Amino acid sequence: MSPNEYLSQQLPERQPIMIALHDAIMANDKTVTPIIEPMMGKEMIIYKEATTMKYALSGVKAHISLHCLPMYMNPAIHQKYEPLLPLAKFQKGCVNFTSAEAMPMEIATQLIVDCAAISIVAMLENRKKK
């Protein structure tokens, strides 16, 4: 299955925001390649930098999830965006939301831009050296 096929299978009311998020990731982070793979027991779009997951996008029963490994590994990003997205539920490395109002594209795009500047592969390599 391709990312576009995955997106076309989402609930109709979720498709516009999920397509916009997918497009924002692809336009603003040239280090990633999208593939469909299972994660946490569910198929989702995994955006990989080399062979490492950098982002994931999924539509699950109760919400949409945007997983951001750079946010998980960089608390400053988490602290910056949590107050900017008060209608979304933040976990360590993901943002769960139910509507476009909870995830305004201007803020979501800036989150991706900030995350794109971080190389997950380099961060993991640096941690191995320590």
Side-chain angles (χ1 to χ4, degrees):
M1 177 184 322
S2 73
N4 287 337
E5 289 169 325
Y6 177 86
L7 292 166
S8 72
Q9 293 177 5
Q10 299 303 305
L11 295 172
E13 62 272 15
R14 290 183 176 179
Q15 287 181 20
I17 185 66
M18 291 182 73
I19 291 168
L21 284 167
H22 172 74
D23 291 347
I25 292 168
M26 298 310 300
N28 292 289
D29 193 337
K30 301 300 182 189
T31 70
V32 297
T33 303
I35 60 168
I36 305 301
E37 281 187 348
M39 185 170 91
M40 301 186 306
K42 298 187 179 2
E43 293 274 311
M44 57 184 73
I45 305 174
I46 308 287
Y47 301 86
K48 290 189 174 185
E49 177 186 331
T51 60
T52 303
M53 190 266 307
K54 189 169 186 177
Y55 313 100
L57 180 62
S58 67
V60 295
K61 195 174 202 176
H63 55 266
I64 300 166
S65 288
L66 175 63
H67 301 264
C68 295
L69 198 55
M71 182 174 72
Y72 177 79
M73 299 175 80
N74 187 329
I77 291 176
H78 192 282
Q79 292 168 356
K80 177 180 177 180
Y81 286 95
E82 190 168 17
L84 295 176
L85 298 166
L87 300 177
K89 181 180 179 193
F90 276 69
Q91 295 179 349
K92 287 182 182 180
C94 74
V95 183
N96 299 323
F97 55 98
T98 57
S99 66
E101 293 76 32
M103 180 63 82
M105 279 312 301
E106 181 179 307
I107 296 169
T109 299
Q110 189 57 52
L111 170 63
I112 298 303
V113 168
D114 287 352
C115 289
I118 297 169
S119 170
I120 294 301
V121 172
M123 286 182 83
L124 292 173
E125 286 299 317
N126 286 338
R127 286 183 181 218
K128 286 180 186 177
K129 292 176 185 177
K130 291 181 181 181

